Amino acid sequence: MRTIDRKEGHFSKFSRRDFLRRSGAALAASSVFRSPLSAAAPPIDIPVRFTDVARASGITFLQDSTATAQKYYLETMGTGVGWIDYNRDGLYDLFFVQTSKTPAYTPPHPLRCALYRNNGDGTFTDVTAKAGVAGEGHYGQGCAVGDYDNDGYPDLYVTGYGRAILYHNNGNGTFTDVTAKAGVADEGGWSTSAAWFDYDRDGYLDLIVCNYINWTPENNVYCGEHRPGYRAYCHPDNYHGQHIALFHNNHDGTFSDVSAKSGVAKPEAKGMGVVCTDFNNDGWPDIAIANDTWPNFLFINKRDGTFEDDSFISGVAASADGRYEAGMGIDAQDVDGDGWADIYITHLDFELDRLYHNNHDETFDDATYSCGIGNSAILLSGVAAKFMDYDNDGWEDICQVNSSMLDNIQLYHSEVRYMEPKLMFRNLGHGKFAKISKFLGPDFMRPTAGRGLATADFDNDGGIDFAVNNRGGSPQLMRNDGGTANNWLTVFLIGSKSNRDGIGARLKIQAEDLVQVRQAVGGASYMSASDPRVHFGLGRRKTVDWLEITWPSGAVEKHAKLPVNRIVAVKEDEGVVLQKFPLVPRR
């Protein structure tokens, strides 16, 4: 999060031309540089529009930024959003994380998180009080969803300033705060993003938690110019970082802190986003973390309960020109069809959103220019991002929400805005991207102070939708209108020997001439939790010849002749099983 540097006393003022001259000249002169493919409008085979249906569906949540003239660092972070089918009716429900009062801010009414039940008819009902997940008094930040006790009901972890909360799903529409018993409070930390994953493949989900910086109201310094309205949120360089936390699941409802033992707590961190998946295709989940103005982390699983820090040797710690940028959101999937997971990390304005291509040898190349993204979003501040095949053509696209971290940014950069439109980079095939945001409708392009982003097919129609939690404003529920013109297949995993959610599974399909590999990842985006089902766009292909699943347990299953345009549930050792995923009618 690049904000204001107290050491300078003001924001470093440089123009877009200065930026390109300083950091892009060498690239422009080399064969690596490519003009962004988005300079020309790409052909759009399937017209898709995203429609904001939040208000029409009954969602009235309002995020409180707790903004004050004191510019507490907490205020600019925003909060996350999560999809959770908490009552297991096949419809994904929506959870919004909320803030709380601070020494400098007393809200007009008590602040609470909100859980909205998906009614299956295009509307949502606020069930927060009944469910017991309001979290009043907790300055929430993000959330992670996972069935840590394998009872069939997803549980909810809410990160925050000073401590986190673990809510156990009771299976009857209510949750119980089991934080103290479980031992995952992360007491004294400033936790942001978190992810459930089974790092030792023992069949139970473990928990990794990103922590940010050692900021307190007492050490909140003045940053920015000493003129009315110019005080701003400080640069993270003014504060020491905290450390990553890893909690091992003991199989009895408790967790052990193995942060130091595992090696993930060794480097100082300024963690913002985390994604857990298998980067070297050895069957064991690894960890990638986006750090803020700090080297990004890549921890490779050594299969013995420890991780090796390959951040620098892998090439993901910095940009191609060696800069540590303001890492915020992160995701990982195979974008070019080679069967290996690539990494995308968002950054702030006058930096670049980076795509790191997996070289199959635990190293990555910064492919930001060669993939076509380049500097096409140079004036936007990328916060959260998710891979999603929005048009179901079989290639993973990139959806991103944006907003400056400074609500008075125009006083320092007249060409930059605080509220910004979203981005969609369409995958043209084999990992070549083009910016097509303007084709996705006015709701998609409406500027907001975007923070949390979570994808889900909330209406079960095969088109990937998404929700956004906006700082200091109303959220958005963006319905995909048009993506189902292409065919698709979605897989809901049910582990038996593996963890119940199947997180860490590797799925491979062949649909006529198309072969795709997807992984069920833990975490991703920024402080948010997405639909865990694994989605395949198929284009015009009408048959899925086979689906191969490599479960975290090591078991491999192959299922032939699956139907298209269906959500199928696959249970480990049993195959396709009956499970309802009701289609939500359009309102």
Side-chain angles (χ1 to χ4, degrees):
M1 182 187 299
R2 178 172 50 74
T3 45
I4 296 291
D5 194 338
R6 185 190 181 206
K7 301 168 189 173
E8 297 179 0
H10 63 278
F11 197 94
S12 176
K13 296 182 179 179
F14 58 94
S15 67
R16 184 174 187 270
R17 180 181 298 174
D18 293 329
F19 172 84
L20 294 174
R21 183 173 64 248
R22 294 180 187 183
S23 65
L27 286 171
S30 75
S31 60
V32 176
F33 181 85
R34 300 287 187 275
S35 297
L37 292 176
S38 54
I44 304 295
D45 300 322
I46 300 297
V48 175
R49 297 291 184 272
F50 284 93
T51 305
D52 183 2
V53 296
R55 185 174 296 275
S57 66
I59 295 172
T60 58
F61 176 80
L62 185 67
Q63 203 273 350
D64 194 320
S65 66
T66 69
T68 69
Q70 298 302 310
K71 297 293 182 180
Y72 275 12
Y73 215 123
L74 276 174
E75 299 167 6
T76 190
M77 300 287 284
T79 52
V81 57
W83 291 99
I84 175 172
D85 183 7
Y86 80 101
N87 55 0
R88 281 298 188 221
D89 62 356
L91 297 162
Y92 276 80
D93 313 295
L94 199 48
F95 180 76
F96 294 100
V97 184
Q98 184 61 286
T99 56
S100 73
K101 66 179 295 185
T102 73
Y105 177 78
T106 301
H109 52 78
L111 299 179
R112 303 180 180 92
C113 296
L115 176 62
Y116 285 89
R117 185 186 67 226
N118 187 334
N119 297 323
D121 61 0
T123 68
F124 288 76
T125 298
D126 188 336
V127 294
T128 311
K130 179 181 178 181
V133 293
E136 188 175 332
H138 176 236
Y139 202 106
Q141 292 286 257
C143 60
V145 174
D147 182 2
Y148 74 86
D149 57 353
N150 292 333
D151 67 352
Y153 287 88
D155 309 298
L156 178 64
Y157 188 73
V158 183
T159 62
Y161 179 75
R163 64 185 177 93
I165 300 173
L166 176 60
Y167 293 108
H168 175 259
N169 191 329
N170 300 319
N172 61 0
T174 69
F175 291 78
T176 299
D177 182 344
V178 296
T179 314
K181 175 188 174 183
V184 292
D186 193 38
E187 202 73 41
W190 180 354
S191 51
T192 54
S193 293
W196 295 99
F197 76 131
D198 184 6
Y199 77 91
D200 55 355
R201 291 174 41 180
D202 65 354
Y204 285 79
L205 291 177
D206 311 297
L207 179 66
I208 187 163
V209 181
C210 290
N211 284 304
Y212 191 38
I213 58 174
N214 287 321
W215 173 91
T216 68
E218 290 71 32
N219 68 13
N220 187 60
V221 297
Y222 191 105
C223 292
E225 298 182 24
H226 287 269
R227 289 194 282 164
Y230 277 75
R231 184 170 185 176
Y233 299 106
C234 289
H235 193 286
D237 284 354
N238 288 290
Y239 302 94
H240 289 294
Q242 297 189 336
H243 294 273
I244 305 302
L246 178 60
F247 298 98
H248 177 260
N249 192 325
N250 298 326
H251 309 178
D252 60 0
T254 70
F255 292 77
S256 296
D257 187 339
V258 296
S259 310
K261 177 182 177 182
S262 67
V264 302
K266 184 177 180 181
E268 183 179 340
K270 296 183 179 181
M272 287 294 218
V274 58
V275 62
C276 302
T277 195
D278 181 6
F279 289 109
N280 56 3
N281 284 352
D282 68 350
W284 293 76
D286 311 301
I287 305 165
I289 292 174
N291 282 306
D292 186 4
T293 63
W294 200 254
N296 301 315
F297 295 155
L298 179 64
F299 295 113
I300 297 297
N301 195 324
K302 303 308 293 180
R303 315 183 199 180
D304 60 0
T306 68
F307 290 83
E308 181 176 272
D309 185 351
D310 278 8
S311 306
F312 289 94
I313 196 171
S314 68
V316 305
S319 63
D321 52 349
R323 297 192 307 150
Y324 305 141
E325 296 172 307
M328 300 283 288
I330 188 171
D331 199 3
Q333 280 294 352
D334 173 18
V335 302
D336 57 353
D338 64 358
W340 296 72
D342 309 295
I343 301 173
Y344 185 76
I345 301 178
T346 66
H347 300 102
L348 302 192
D349 54 85
F350 297 100
E351 297 175 342
L352 302 182
D353 301 310
R354 301 280 174 182
L355 179 68
Y356 294 94
H357 176 261
N358 193 325
N359 295 325
H360 312 174
D361 59 1
E362 297 183 4
T363 71
F364 292 75
D365 284 337
D366 183 345
T368 304
Y369 277 96
S370 60
C371 78
I373 292 174
N375 60 5
S376 59
I378 197 71
L379 296 180
L380 298 179
S381 292
V383 181
K386 273 288 295 168
F387 286 118
M388 58 179 283
D389 187 357
Y390 83 96
D391 57 355
N392 282 327
D393 67 350
W395 296 99
E396 292 282 85
D397 312 299
I398 300 170
C399 182
Q400 179 173 315
V401 298
N402 309 287
S403 168
S404 174
M405 295 296 110
L406 300 180
D407 47 15
N408 57 356
I409 185 64
Q410 283 190 273
L411 298 178
Y412 292 95
H413 284 302
S414 61
E415 66 271 48
V416 177
R417 299 292 182 267
Y418 167 56
M419 294 188 178
E420 298 172 347
K422 298 166 190 62
L423 277 174
M424 185 72 80
F425 291 111
R426 183 184 178 218
N427 192 332
L428 304 179
H430 302 285
K432 302 295 183 181
F433 291 87
K435 186 169 71 174
I436 51 88
S437 315
K438 65 182 180 181
F439 299 103
L440 300 181
D443 287 347
F444 190 90
M445 292 299 294
R446 181 166 67 86
T448 64
R451 294 297 187 264
L453 163 69
T455 57
D457 181 8
F458 80 89
D459 48 8
N460 289 334
D461 69 346
I464 302 299
D465 318 293
F466 64 93
V468 181
N469 204 349
N470 292 308
R471 177 184 183 254
S474 299
Q476 292 172 291
L477 176 55
M478 305 296 286
R479 187 185 67 201
N480 183 321
D481 295 331
T484 55
N486 274 327
N487 295 323
W488 54 275
L489 172 71
T490 297
V491 182
F492 177 73
L493 298 170
I494 306 171
S496 52
K497 295 176 182 176
S498 304
N499 67 83
R500 178 82 180 202
D501 294 337
I503 295 176
R506 176 184 173 91
L507 288 76
K508 184 176 182 178
I509 68 162
Q510 179 167 329
E512 300 176 17
D513 64 325
L514 176 69
V515 176
Q516 290 186 64
V517 174
R518 297 283 183 268
Q519 294 191 42
V521 306
S525 189
Y526 169 73
M527 305 200 301
S528 298
S530 293
D531 184 340
R533 296 174 293 185
V534 181
H535 184 81
F536 296 92
L538 304 174
R540 298 298 188 183
R541 300 164 186 88
K542 298 179 180 179
T543 59
V544 174
D545 301 291
W546 50 261
L547 163 69
E548 181 182 86
I549 303 175
T550 303
W551 293 90
S553 67
V556 180
E557 300 175 4
K558 200 166 186 177
H559 307 282
K561 301 299 180 184
L562 293 178
V564 301
N565 301 331
R566 291 274 299 276
I567 303 172
V568 297
V570 181
K571 188 171 184 179
E572 187 176 12
D573 291 335
E574 292 186 26
V576 177
V577 296
L578 182 64
Q579 185 137 340
K580 292 183 179 180
F581 298 98
L583 178 65
V584 177
R586 291 292 171 93
R587 290 174 60 84

